[in-house]
Amino acid sequence: MLTILFSCSVRGQEPATEQEPAIQWNESSDLLDDEKALPVNAAQPTPFTAIHKKDKNEFVIAPIPFLNPSQGWGLALVGQYIFTLKDDESPPSIVGGGAFYTEKHSYGGGLAYSGKLANDQWRVGLAVGKATVFYDFYGIGYDQNKEDISIPLKQQVEFAGLRLMKQVTNKLFLGLELIGAEITTNIETESIPGNLTNEIVAKTDFVAPNLKAERDTRNDSFYPTQGSLFDLQAEFHSEELHDNTTYQTYKISWNQYLDLAPFSVLAYRLMARFAYGDVPFYSLSMFGQGGDLRGYETGKYRDKMMWAAQTEYRYRFTDRWGGVAFAGAGQLAPKVSEFDGAAFLGSGGLGLRFRLAQKNPVDFRFDTAYGDQKISYYFSVGQSF
């Protein structure tokens, strides 16, 4: 599903979904015929029978309430058109836009396009938007974060992104993203505890190239039941490209999906992210984004190095309704060598799913997660990973 502005308004402080802070275009379904249809038992309901139709063109327009620990309640108005070009065997393309407002008075909007062209030989993405986001900053490093002392920040961001990827072999894509952004940060209090302001950068402008490699064998990206998604990214920031500092971030992730039985799927995800150089606080690795891990306020725990692992069992009760159970764990550290002995952070919980679209398995999700010694709730659209 195409993730619009509210998943990329601020790096790590997503008001609408707990997803990747940078601009993302998650690829659409490769399932274009009936040959990979799920097993059907005539005595049982038949979830997702519609996803095996070649004609998947449809509009998805809805006001969507959401909830997460970083922003509390919010409302997003989302409009998307999912379509396949005539005589093109590519997966569906998506064009859409959205706007959001949250309980913390964060707001923003954007437009995006994710295109699959020439029988999926090319994948193109475009995105533009702007947002103002209010959130709490707890400092850097586990020892600082666990003190639970924060200051309120106001962050304004304007961004534009371009993505171009080419399929070089079976399901393997290589390409480049260019992300341009202006980020302005203000402290929203006169009472500042400790030295939390030492890491605050007032204003940053940058154009960052992001090299990408991706192998996608999922049978569907909205609700995959088979296959995997491997993603490798290397993002470069430099003062020569009008950034305030010079640093790099590297991220690797792997999602696997196993079709256990009719209507039952086991999904698991492994990821690691490493940042080197003079990294601003908003570009650090952090829990609570991209579902890594649910149960944590986005950005409360952040540092240069991070890894996380999680698993999720998914079951469809009917074509419309489903449920999940999930668990995960991970670590943060200033250096890779310091993972040894670093504190483990874990979470787990249960969730419900309700299908929104007619021809594509786009779910509304509600998750209850326990992490950081408290219970958190999530309302959003799309699977966690």
Side-chain angles (χ1 to χ4, degrees), residues 278-295:
D278 191 5
V279 189
F281 74 97
Y282 53 78
S283 283
L284 292 168
S285 305
M286 61 191 78
F287 282 108
Q289 62 185 28
D292 300 313
L293 298 164
R294 279 164 286 182

Side-chain angles (χ1 to χ4, degrees), residues 25 122-125 162-166 174-178:
W25 295 273
W122 293 92
R123 293 186 172 183
V124 180
L162 169 66
R163 182 188 192 193
L164 180 65
M165 300 193 74
K166 176 71 169 65
L174 299 179
L176 173 71
E177 285 182 356
L178 289 175

Side-chain angles (χ1 to χ4, degrees), residues 7-18:
S7 68
C8 49
S9 57
V10 171
R11 294 184 177 259
Q13 307 299 334
E14 309 90 338
T17 61
E18 300 293 300

Side-chain angles (χ1 to χ4, degrees), residues 348-366:
L350 301 171
L352 287 175
R353 301 292 183 267
F354 177 74
R355 181 172 166 180
L356 294 174
Q358 293 293 325
K359 299 180 181 181
N360 296 273
V362 180
D363 275 353
F364 182 80
R365 68 181 175 101
F366 168 63

Side-chain angles (χ1 to χ4, degrees), residues 212-247:
K212 292 180 62 68
E214 182 179 277
R215 188 168 191 268
D216 187 356
T217 65
R218 296 172 297 172
N219 60 348
D220 191 277
S221 69
F222 299 118
Y223 194 90
T225 62
Q226 300 172 4
S228 63
L229 175 64
F230 172 82
D231 186 69
L232 178 65
Q233 303 179 33
E235 185 174 306
F236 303 94
H237 296 255
S238 171
E239 294 178 68
E240 296 179 355
L241 296 175
H242 304 289
D243 208 319
N244 284 35
T245 61
T246 297
Y247 65 98

Side-chain angles (χ1 to χ4, degrees), residues 81-192:
Y81 180 56
I82 305 170
F83 64 97
T84 301
L85 298 176
K86 187 177 180 180
D87 299 326
D88 192 330
E89 294 300 318
S90 299
S93 298
I94 304 174
V95 61
F100 69 87
Y101 187 82
T102 78
E103 184 179 346
K104 284 197 171 183
H105 308 296
S106 300
Y107 60 91
L111 298 171
Y113 165 71
S114 176
K116 286 78 179 176
L117 309 172
N119 297 322
D120 204 24
Q121 291 302 303
W122 293 92
R123 293 186 172 183
V124 180
L126 299 169
V128 294
K130 63 186 302 183
T132 298
V133 181
F134 298 87
Y135 63 95
D136 296 323
F137 176 63
Y138 292 84
I140 297 173
Y142 176 78
D143 291 336
Q144 174 70 56
N145 303 149
K146 71 178 182 180
E147 296 296 328
D148 206 26
I149 299 174
S150 65
I151 57 175
L153 298 183
K154 174 184 178 181
Q155 203 158 54
Q156 297 171 291
V157 58
E158 299 182 16
F159 71 85
L162 169 66
R163 182 188 192 193
L164 180 65
M165 300 193 74
K166 176 71 169 65
Q167 185 172 179
V168 295
T169 186
N170 186 30
K171 305 299 183 181
L172 175 63
F173 294 83
L174 299 179
L176 173 71
E177 285 182 356
L178 289 175
I179 304 170
E182 178 182 281
I183 300 174
T184 303
T185 305
N186 296 306
I187 299 173
E188 294 292 288
T189 182
E190 295 181 358
S191 177
I192 303 173

Side-chain angles (χ1 to χ4, degrees), residues 319-331:
D319 186 59
R320 286 287 186 182
W321 290 95
V324 305
F326 57 89
Q331 289 179 298

